[in-house]
Amino acid sequence: MNWLNDNVNALALLGAAAILILSIGVSLKYIKQMKTDKSTGELTKENWDGIGEYKNALPIGWALSFVGTIVWALWYFLAGYPLASYNKIGEYNEEVKSYNAQFEKKFANPDQATLMSMGEGVFLVQCAPCHGVTGDGMNGKAANFAKWGNEEAIVASILNGAKGSSYPLGEMPSGLLDAESAKAVAAYVMQEVSSVKKSKNPALVESGRALWATCAACHGEDGKGMDGSAPDLSTYGTAKFVANVLNMGKKGTIGNMPQFNDGRLTNIQKTAVGTYVSSLAK
Amino acid sequence: MFHWLEKNPFFFAVGVFLVIAYAGIVTILPDFMESARPVTGTKPYTVLELAGRHVYIKDSCNACHSQLIRPFKSETDRYGMYSLSGEYAYDRPFLWGSKRTGPDLMRVGNYRTTDWHEYHMLDPISVVPGSIMPAYKHMFKNNADIETAYAEALTVKKVFNVPYDQADMPQLGTYDESKKAVMEQAAAIVADMKSTEVKEAFKRGEIKEIVALIAYLNSLK
């Protein structure tokens, strides 16, 4: 019988035996007493169908502890442990605070792999409902990230215009440049302005530089967007550019993207999403 | 001491009730008056949103979707700020729901948009692979019941003093004025939609259920 070797089982059996023996002993004592005892004493006035009640004073110890319990209950309720000492919102705030402190400590200097996996996690929850699990935009329901943040995307933006980012200088009209010039400007932006610093058409960079004046009107000579008047192209293709879109939202030609600045994402998470989204560009 | 009480069933019952109700009274009453008031910034629904709310109730959205975010980090991370009781001040009836087969919708207006709702109602799997939510194609065919929504708004205004027609609050006015405001709000939503069926119906002056429902969902913030 293996299970008897277990301490807890043995103790439980021992306890059960003790309770059984005590119960039998006490029962026998009272049964014997009932046979021999005679009741005496003064009856109360009340009589319920022949059943009476003796006038017995409360045992003094019992009465004192009864009153004492009531007094203690009132004290406990009002002063000892008042209702206000626990609050579910307070507990929530504590929980969030300790979590955030831990999060910031753990991800103070995240490496690329950490950012990528965190970014993918956030992407699948917050972005995938519109951009699709793979970021392909689900047949044009939202931006396709394979075609976003790269040189072709700049060409498309110049040809089709860009709208819905609520910058002070307004929307970018379509058709500012023809297809050939757009390609050249895109090469210039990728190699000279953006953080990517690499163009697929290096030969076109110089002719793009000559055409840059059209864009400089809003994006500035250096492409930095003149202190927030227009998008800062120097961050193009990086996590920072994506984080900016997350903060501003976008009411573009495809649809409406909500802002993600209500505190649901921390700055580290935004950078992580940006890193992940930028990695999807081809 | 209490023999007189044992002989009076009525007062005995009152005594029992007081003893049992005590815990409830001390936990509920102190907080109740304060937290049941509308939170600053909470506004009653516009007539179009109310019509959408009726669609929400009619199609039993609340059977699968809750509208109550609990104060846990896991919930506020996903759905946003936890719910306050004052935010439901103008919900008649409240739609807290009791089971989350789908996600909570308390603040869905913060993170979903008109065009997303349109895709989703027409074919949920097209935007959420693996979703078990049924399609609600009939919402693109049936017209929203603006008259009933207006009647409800007017009733709660008169009976419960819901602050319609006050500064910074939704305006009701007469039915015709209200209809104009409804058409304005609907126009903005229809402009963001893709369905030509809905757009053409709107040109004829018809507001489809989907438009009202999207107005309602966008108002949940």
Side-chain angles (χ1 to χ4, degrees):
Chain A
M1 293 238 271
N2 260 343
W3 52 274
L4 255 185
N5 297 335
D6 188 277
N7 282 342
V8 175
N9 284 348
L11 266 179
L13 272 182
L14 209 64
I19 290 172
L20 196 66
I21 291 165
L22 274 175
S23 310
I24 292 171
V26 170
S27 309
L28 286 176
K29 176 184 178 282
Y30 277 109
I31 289 169
K32 202 175 151 197
Q33 200 176 330
M34 275 156 65
K35 283 178 185 161
T36 56
D37 260 15
K38 275 216 151 55
S39 48
T40 52
E42 201 187 336
L43 283 170
T44 57
K45 278 198 310 248
E46 284 87 13
N47 188 303
W48 292 275
D49 297 337
I51 300 170
E53 184 186 359
Y54 288 116
K55 270 186 182 165
N56 282 334
L58 283 176
I60 189 81
W62 192 93
L64 279 180
S65 45
F66 180 61
V67 174
T69 317
I70 293 176
V71 172
W72 176 83
L74 282 175
W75 169 83
Y76 182 78
F77 184 73
L78 298 171
Y81 190 84
L83 285 177
S85 71
Y86 173 78
N87 177 310
K88 63 175 194 272
I89 301 301
E91 190 186 345
Y92 166 79
N93 289 340
E94 293 291 315
E95 185 192 353
V96 170
K97 210 171 129 191
S98 75
Y99 179 87
N100 285 349
Q102 217 183 348
F103 183 89
E104 285 191 7
K105 201 172 136 212
K106 190 172 173 191
F107 297 107
N109 295 301
D111 57 19
Q112 189 69 13
T114 313
L115 282 178
M116 279 295 282
S117 74
M118 185 196 291
E120 184 177 10
V122 176
F123 183 90
L124 289 176
V125 175
Q126 304 284 6
C127 316
C130 295
H131 291 285
V133 176
T134 56
D136 62 355
M138 299 192 284
N139 297 326
K141 292 187 178 65
N144 179 349
F145 289 130
K147 296 182 183 168
W148 189 89
N150 59 13
E151 208 163 324
E152 288 78 13
I154 301 181
V155 176
S157 290
I158 297 173
L159 294 180
N160 304 325
K163 66 171 199 165
S165 294
S166 61
Y167 278 99
L169 283 174
E171 292 167 357
M172 178 161 130
S174 60
L176 280 177
L177 297 168
D178 60 57
E180 275 309 302
S181 318
K183 226 171 158 186
V185 168
Y188 170 71
V189 169
M190 278 317 254
Q191 180 146 334
E192 299 290 320
V193 181
S194 80
S195 308
V196 182
K197 300 282 174 221
K198 202 175 96 200
S199 169
K200 289 173 187 164
N201 302 310
L204 294 172
V205 171
E206 284 314 310
S207 54
R209 191 194 300 274
L211 290 159
W212 177 247
T214 316
C215 315
C218 291
H219 290 286
E221 278 301 322
D222 53 4
K224 288 191 176 158
M226 305 204 288
D227 290 330
S229 307
D232 178 358
L233 296 182
S234 70
T235 61
Y236 193 76
T238 66
K240 213 170 156 198
F241 196 84
V242 179
N244 193 33
V245 179
L246 287 172
N247 285 331
M248 298 188 74
K250 194 169 163 76
K251 200 170 188 322
T253 30
I254 307 176
N256 196 352
M257 169 164 156
Q259 293 174 311
F260 284 84
N261 57 0
D262 61 352
R264 244 176 311 145
L265 297 182
T266 65
N267 285 334
I268 303 170
Q269 283 174 317
K270 282 176 190 168
T271 311
V273 173
T275 309
Y276 179 72
V277 167
S278 312
S279 78
L280 295 174
K282 291 203 175 94
Chain B
M1 188 162 58
F2 288 114
H3 285 166
W4 66 271
L5 197 57
E6 289 172 10
K7 284 187 271 182
N8 283 290
F10 175 74
F11 290 108
F12 192 79
V14 170
V16 168
F17 173 76
L18 283 180
V19 170
I20 294 176
Y22 182 65
I25 290 168
V26 297
T27 44
I28 295 166
L29 279 190
D31 220 25
F32 188 71
M33 292 294 284
E34 194 53 41
S35 60
R37 293 206 172 106
V39 173
T40 312
T42 306
K43 290 180 181 180
Y45 296 106
T46 67
V47 172
L48 183 64
E49 287 157 16
L50 265 185
R53 201 165 186 276
H54 291 163
V55 177
Y56 187 95
I57 295 170
K58 189 175 78 177
D59 282 313
S60 289
C61 302
N62 56 317
C64 292
H65 292 281
S66 61
Q67 285 189 23
L68 189 140
I69 304 167
R70 296 171 292 177
F72 303 129
K73 176 124 179 55
S74 52
E75 299 223 344
T76 53
D77 270 0
R78 183 168 175 194
Y79 302 123
M81 161 83 175
Y82 52 80
S83 309
L84 301 170
S85 61
E87 291 180 281
Y88 301 102
Y90 304 120
D91 277 14
R92 291 172 210 276
F94 66 80
L95 295 171
W96 297 336
S98 57
K99 183 172 181 293
R100 283 184 189 157
T101 302
D104 188 276
L105 300 179
M106 176 84 191
R107 304 192 196 284
V108 72
N110 283 339
Y111 48 88
R112 293 288 186 273
T113 53
T114 300
D115 45 328
W116 188 87
H117 285 306
E118 188 186 354
Y119 292 127
H120 188 237
M121 290 296 167
L122 205 56
D123 182 13
I125 296 171
S126 75
V127 280
V128 186
S131 170
I132 57 166
M133 177 166 144
Y136 286 86
K137 294 196 167 84
H138 60 272
M139 288 182 185
F140 293 77
K141 301 234 162 20
N142 300 348
N143 285 345
D145 188 350
I146 305 297
E147 283 93 340
T148 305
Y150 176 78
E152 184 186 322
L154 197 65
T155 308
V156 294
K157 181 193 161 191
K158 294 206 163 143
V159 179
F160 300 117
N161 278 329
V162 171
Y164 282 109
D165 290 326
Q166 293 179 11
D168 291 332
M169 290 291 177
Q171 304 296 309
L172 278 185
T174 64
Y175 178 70
D176 289 334
E177 284 165 0
S178 164
K179 185 79 198 260
K180 222 176 119 195
V182 166
M183 291 307 272
E184 243 169 64
Q185 197 185 356
I189 290 165
V190 171
D192 279 348
M193 291 179 68
K194 315 258 177 268
S195 160
T196 48
E197 194 185 354
V198 171
K199 280 177 192 284
E200 268 162 29
F202 186 70
K203 269 186 211 149
R204 295 193 301 269
E206 291 171 25
I207 298 173
K208 294 294 172 195
E209 282 185 340
I210 185 74
V211 179
L213 184 78
I214 290 176
Y216 172 61
L217 292 175
N218 285 346
S219 79
L220 296 175
K221 285 187 172 174

